[in-house]
């Protein structure tokens, strides 16, 4: 990977330095919408907000590439694990680029830097006596000459009443019970279908019970200081209540970071030991001076975004690993956790092809800002939420089109009208706006909403902040109606000018507040305003413009000439929704068949119309 340290941002003394990570997506498949909202998109919104506040921030992510799942996928596709990683890393990158995700570095874990950082942490843990050796019993395949990882095993589920004959070594997909490989009845190697046998194998363990006091001290302090989300606190304390156990950190695999120990040369690190270390190694690809971010807890705040299944690895495993080195690591301050986003009638399924995946969204021709908006309004912050096409249609048509798009287009179109019926595309002057009671009260209300927006964003309550921004747009529509500007234009031109200058100021304000959520939308609004992005409304600590929000008539200068207004959103129709619902309802083959049926029906209708 290219090192671009010369251009890299480093922590700045006296500034607020924020390091953002989102759970590294596993490389072996295409991300679906649930994966996107769970960590990547949420972290991007917060990173963009931090830049708007002029905080010194970097956003680090990348593909998690080691482990059994990659080896298994490579076998399925008849290639090497590295080829699988190269293929899917490119797919992930393309999906995130389309979604306008603003990483400072999007890397990967199969790098020399990962090996170096991972092995160094391991050696420090070993020196500090936090590691132990223990014998485990695992299933070994004589034919394949290898210990079989969970995903390479298949057998009958031992759970009474289930007896599913294709249960994996780690979990039964039918009843959902977590399993150990040795629990399976009549186990078979998935590669050669022969029966494996139990064999002893030596492994390294991280002694979490010995680190318990230091870990609990960190959790008890930081969960309060960092305002951890309730679901993160609950998941963490559930682990602590069950009692911490020594955790195996090695695996009998080939694809992974080699264990630098003479008795474990044939083993690699378990992916859940090395994956969170990927945050550090990817930062080291971003800058050689990575320690200024990762070993600087006095000056750097670490914010981490993930789905609920990843919580214990970030609140228990990873902090324990770093604490055990005895070094001064930047430990996570704030964790933002999402529940699951489910699809229509059930879960997204990669194997069954149910749901919308990252590479599908472009083909729908629904713009990226609509996808981002819908996922963020539906962000599963406290409980699971559901993606439905009808809901997407309703939110696009009523909230984006009829509320936000309508307000902006109404204001800009009126200003763009030729003199005599509008302002000839020139922002009017607003004389004595303070003396206009409706406008004065409106400005104070908007200022209050902006303060609420900032408070919500600071607490990483993204859905709440987005709702507040959309409320501001709704207030704009109500203000236009109440002012009856179309009458004022004929009867009281100075008052009409106050209303329109205030309204166009609010258009600009909305473009700025919504930029973290819908950056492409904001760019389009700024283009229609013909106002450069670099001079945008600031929410920085040094130059906070919240005061301007209470006087939106002062935001844009009088005499400024706007660009050409065009509609920002397009209605999503019922027949399109039905088409998409059918298209994404089942396996790839089923999808194609259903899509063909719908296409045939449309063709028949067109023929009938021509007749």
């Amino acid at each position: 990977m290219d090192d671009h340290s010369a251009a890299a941002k480093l922590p700045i003394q006296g500034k607020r330095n924020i390091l953002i990570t989102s759970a590294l997506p596993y490389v072996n498949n295409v991300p679906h919408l649930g994966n996107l909202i769970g960590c990547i998109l949420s972290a991007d919104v917060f990173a963009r907000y931090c830049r708007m506040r002029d905080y010194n921030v970097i956003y680090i992510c990348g593909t998690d590439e080691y482990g059994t799942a990659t080896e298994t996928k490579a076998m399925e596709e008849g290639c090497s694990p590295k080829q699988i990683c190269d293929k899917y890393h490119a797919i992930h990158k393309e999906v995130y680029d389309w979604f306008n995700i603003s990483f400072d570095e999007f890397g990967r874990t199969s790098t020399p830097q990962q090996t170096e950082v991972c092995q160094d942490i391991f050696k420090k843990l070993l020196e500090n006596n936090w590691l132990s050796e223990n014998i485990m019993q695992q299933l070994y395949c004589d034919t394949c000459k290898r210990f079989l990882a969970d995903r390479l095993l298949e057998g009958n589920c031992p759970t009474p009443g289930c007896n599913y004959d294709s249960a994996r070594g780690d979990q039964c997909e039918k009843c959902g019970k977590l399993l150990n490989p040795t629990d399976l009845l009549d186990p078979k190697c998935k590669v050669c279908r022969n029966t494996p046998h139990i064999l002893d194998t030596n492994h390294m363990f991280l002694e979490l019970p010995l680190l318990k006091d230091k870990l609990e001290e960190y959790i008890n302090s930081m969960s309060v200081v960092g305002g951890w989300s309730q679901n993160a606190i609950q998941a963490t304390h559930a682990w602590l209540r069950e009692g911490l156990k020594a955790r195996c950190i090695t695996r009998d695999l080939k694809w992974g970071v080699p264990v630098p120990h003479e008795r474990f040369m044939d083993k690699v690190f378990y992916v859940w030991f090395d994956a969170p270390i990927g945050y550090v190694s990817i930062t080291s690809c971003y800058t050689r001076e990575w320690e200024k971010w990762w070993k600087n807890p006095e000056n750097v705040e670490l914010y981490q975004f993930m789905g609920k299944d990843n919580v214990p690895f970030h609140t228990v495993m990873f902090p324990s690993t770093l604490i055990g080195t005895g070094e001064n690591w930047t430990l996570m301050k704030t964790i933002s956790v999402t529940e699951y986003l489910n699809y229509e009638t059930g879960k997204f399924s990669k194997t069954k092809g149910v749901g919308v995946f990252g590479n599908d969204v472009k083909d729908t021709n629904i713009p990226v800002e609509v996808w981002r908006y819908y996922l963020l309004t539906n962000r599963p912050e406290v409980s699971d939420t559901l993606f439905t096409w009808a809901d997407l249609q309703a939110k696009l048509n009523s909230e984006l089109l009829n509320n936000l798009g309508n307000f902006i287009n109404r204001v800009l179109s009126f200003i763009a009208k030729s003199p005599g019926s509008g302002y000839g595309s020139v922002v009017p002057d607003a004389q004595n706006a303070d003396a206009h009671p409706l406008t004065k009260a409106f400005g104070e209300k908007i200022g209050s909403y902006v303060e609420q927006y900032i408070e919500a964003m600071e607490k990483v309550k993204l859905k709440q902040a987005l709702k507040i921004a959309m409320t501001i747009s709704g207030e704009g529509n109500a203000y236009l109606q109440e002012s009856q500007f179309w009458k004022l234009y004929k009867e009281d031109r100075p008052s009409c000018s106050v209303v329109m200058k205030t309204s166009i100021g609010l258009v600009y304000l909305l473009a700025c507040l919504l930029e973290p959520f819908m950056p492409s939308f904001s760019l389009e609004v700024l283009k229609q305003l013909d106002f450069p992005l670099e001079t945008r409304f600031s929410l920085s600590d040094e130059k906070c413009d919240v005061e301007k929000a209470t006087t939106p008539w002062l935001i844009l200068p009088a005499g400024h000439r706007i660009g050409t207004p065009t509609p920002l959103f397009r209605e999503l129709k019922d027949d399109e929704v039905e088409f998409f619902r059918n298209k994404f309802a089942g396996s790839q083959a089923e999808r194609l068949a259903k899509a063909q049926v719908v296409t045939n029906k449309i063709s028949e209708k067109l023929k009938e119309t021509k007749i």
Side-chain angles (χ1 to χ4, degrees):
M1 191 173 295
D2 294 334
D3 186 287
H4 40 269
S5 292
K9 286 178 273 186
L10 294 173
I12 299 166
Q13 195 69 34
K15 267 214 158 191
R16 193 167 171 202
N17 301 296
I18 296 181
L19 171 58
I20 297 172
T21 71
S22 51
L24 306 184
Y26 206 76
V27 79
N28 75 325
N29 223 315
V30 180
H32 60 66
L33 297 181
N35 304 138
L36 272 153
I37 189 58
C39 48
I40 302 283
L41 182 53
S42 298
D44 180 61
V45 172
F46 188 65
R48 287 175 177 277
Y49 164 75
C50 288
R51 294 183 195 115
M52 191 163 72
R53 291 297 309 265
D54 200 29
Y55 299 153
N56 186 40
V57 60
I58 60 170
Y59 174 20
I60 301 294
C61 191
T63 40
D64 175 9
E65 303 194 351
Y66 285 135
T68 319
T70 306
E71 282 194 2
T72 311
K73 190 76 171 177
M75 285 180 197
E76 283 173 17
E77 297 198 13
C79 59
S80 70
K82 185 182 184 310
Q83 286 170 320
I84 281 288
C85 292
D86 290 347
K87 172 185 169 180
Y88 282 98
H89 175 81
I91 290 170
H92 276 260
K93 182 79 171 68
E94 192 179 334
V95 168
Y96 305 139
D97 284 348
W98 190 84
F99 269 94
N100 289 325
I101 307 297
S102 60
F103 303 114
D104 287 274
E105 183 79 9
F106 183 74
R108 47 202 306 191
T109 56
S110 61
T111 61
Q113 289 92 334
Q114 175 75 355
T115 300
E116 185 184 337
V117 177
C118 209
Q119 290 183 344
D120 184 60
I121 286 173
F122 168 79
K123 287 171 186 171
K124 298 237 168 38
L125 290 169
L126 198 60
E127 285 166 21
N128 295 338
N129 296 316
W130 299 118
L131 299 178
S132 61
E133 295 180 31
N134 219 326
I135 291 172
M136 288 174 70
Q137 288 193 323
Q138 279 183 254
L139 289 164
Y140 186 85
C141 178
D142 285 325
T143 312
C144 296
K145 304 239 176 314
R146 64 187 292 174
F147 283 99
L148 298 179
D150 306 343
R151 288 165 183 263
L152 292 179
L153 276 165
E154 201 169 72
N156 291 348
C157 177
T159 308
C162 179
N163 204 36
Y164 181 54
D165 62 1
S166 298
R168 285 199 324 237
D170 58 347
Q171 188 173 20
C172 173
E173 279 195 348
K174 186 181 175 188
C175 70
K177 187 168 175 61
L178 296 176
L179 303 170
N180 289 314
T182 49
D183 295 337
L184 288 177
L185 306 175
D186 192 22
K188 292 278 187 288
C189 169
K190 281 182 81 170
V191 179
C192 67
R193 304 308 301 171
N194 286 328
T195 302
H197 62 92
I198 293 174
L199 202 63
D200 287 348
T201 174
N202 207 22
H203 280 288
M204 297 290 286
F205 289 74
L206 177 62
E207 286 293 341
L208 289 176
L210 300 180
L211 287 157
K212 183 172 180 282
D213 291 346
K214 291 174 189 287
L215 176 68
E216 284 191 336
E217 185 185 336
Y218 157 73
I219 290 168
N220 293 337
S221 161
M222 204 60 92
S223 61
V224 175
V225 174
W228 290 10
S229 51
Q230 204 51 44
N231 43 11
I233 293 169
Q234 285 166 355
T236 303
H237 284 293
W239 261 55
L240 295 175
R241 267 196 312 277
E242 281 178 24
L244 295 177
K245 299 173 183 68
R247 184 89 180 179
C248 186
I249 63 165
T250 54
R251 279 290 183 267
D252 291 294
L253 297 172
K254 297 281 179 275
W255 182 244
V257 174
V259 179
H261 191 292
E262 56 189 18
R263 288 197 301 281
F264 297 89
M265 302 300 276
D266 59 338
K267 300 183 196 295
V268 299
F269 287 115
Y270 178 33
V271 69
W272 269 116
F273 174 77
D274 94 277
I277 294 170
Y279 302 130
V280 182
S281 76
I282 292 167
T283 310
S284 79
C285 295
Y286 171 70
T287 172
R288 292 188 189 95
E289 297 182 86
W290 61 271
E291 291 189 1
K292 289 185 176 176
W293 285 105
W294 279 101
K295 294 183 180 178
N296 190 1
E298 294 80 18
N299 294 307
V300 175
E301 300 168 53
L302 174 58
Y303 282 72
Q304 298 197 289
F305 290 76
M306 70 206 65
K308 63 181 173 184
D309 51 336
N310 283 335
V311 170
F313 297 104
H314 290 80
T315 61
V316 177
M317 286 286 292
F318 189 41
S320 296
T321 301
L322 298 180
I323 289 166
T325 65
E327 295 180 309
N328 194 30
W329 286 93
T330 303
L331 298 177
M332 177 180 66
K333 176 188 173 187
T334 297
I335 180 171
S336 181
V337 178
T338 53
E339 304 288 311
Y340 295 136
L341 174 73
N342 293 319
Y343 180 79
E344 291 275 346
T345 52
K347 290 185 176 178
F348 286 85
S349 170
K350 291 174 183 174
T351 50
K352 295 172 187 169
V354 174
V356 184
F357 286 74
N359 55 346
D360 298 322
V361 286
K362 205 188 297 184
D363 300 336
T364 64
N365 288 323
I366 297 171
V368 63
E369 57 265 28
V370 174
W371 284 109
R372 284 183 63 119
Y373 177 79
Y374 179 68
L375 289 171
L376 289 158
T377 58
N378 217 10
R379 187 174 186 250
E381 292 182 353
V382 291
S383 60
D384 292 356
T385 57
L386 196 63
F387 172 100
T388 71
W389 285 101
D391 190 34
L392 172 69
Q393 179 189 28
K395 284 192 165 66
L396 165 53
N397 293 350
S398 67
E399 296 172 18
L400 290 178
L401 182 63
N402 294 340
N403 172 0
L404 182 64
N406 176 60
F407 171 67
I408 293 171
N409 196 252
R410 208 172 168 194
V411 172
L412 299 190
S413 297
F414 189 77
I415 288 174
K417 282 182 181 178
S418 55
S421 54
Y423 291 91
S425 296
V426 174
V427 176
D429 201 356
Q431 298 292 333
N432 301 317
D434 277 321
H436 193 257
L438 177 66
T439 299
K440 182 86 173 124
F442 175 69
E444 286 167 5
K445 189 185 281 187
I446 298 306
S448 171
Y449 279 128
V450 171
E451 285 176 354
Q452 290 171 40
Y453 167 93
I454 292 171
E455 188 183 344
M457 289 298 274
E458 288 293 330
K459 291 178 178 172
V460 202
K461 294 185 183 296
L462 308 182
K463 194 183 341 190
Q464 185 183 331
L466 179 53
K467 192 175 179 184
I468 291 165
M470 293 301 285
T471 301
I472 291 173
S473 173
E475 292 288 352
N477 275 314
Y479 170 69
L480 284 181
Q481 281 304 107
E482 199 174 340
S483 71
Q484 296 190 314
F485 66 92
W486 58 94
K487 279 188 183 176
L488 289 178
Y489 186 80
K490 294 172 187 167
E491 298 166 8
D492 183 356
R493 189 71 60 87
S495 290
C496 186
S497 296
V498 167
V499 170
M500 296 321 293
K501 192 170 191 292
T502 302
S503 298
I504 200 167
L506 194 69
V507 167
Y508 180 66
L509 175 63
L510 282 167
C512 297
L513 296 181
L514 289 167
E515 193 276 341
F517 301 92
M518 298 185 287
S520 54
F521 155 83
S522 292
L523 280 173
E524 178 56 30
V525 174
L526 292 173
K527 181 180 154 196
Q528 292 187 27
L529 286 169
D530 196 20
F531 213 72
L533 181 66
E534 52 274 14
T535 59
R536 72 179 177 193
F537 182 88
S538 169
L539 289 175
S540 69
D541 283 338
E542 294 86 356
K543 185 192 144 204
C544 193
D545 283 350
V546 175
E547 294 77 23
K548 269 193 186 174
T550 64
T551 53
W553 55 87
L554 297 177
I555 293 178
L556 255 65
H560 173 76
R561 181 171 288 277
I562 68 167
T564 308
T566 52
L568 292 157
F569 300 103
R570 181 186 69 81
E571 183 185 9
L572 189 60
K573 294 190 163 52
D574 291 345
D575 58 344
E576 294 175 281
V577 167
E578 191 55 33
F579 174 78
F580 292 134
R581 190 182 285 118
N582 286 323
K583 185 177 178 185
F584 298 110
S587 70
Q588 240 12 57
E590 287 171 343
R591 282 186 188 185
L592 291 171
K594 285 178 179 175
Q596 192 57 54
V597 168
V598 175
T599 306
N600 291 344
K601 280 182 183 173
I602 292 169
S603 299
E604 283 165 22
K605 276 186 182 176
L606 288 171
K607 282 176 191 171
E608 286 167 18
T609 309
K610 282 175 187 173
I611 291 164

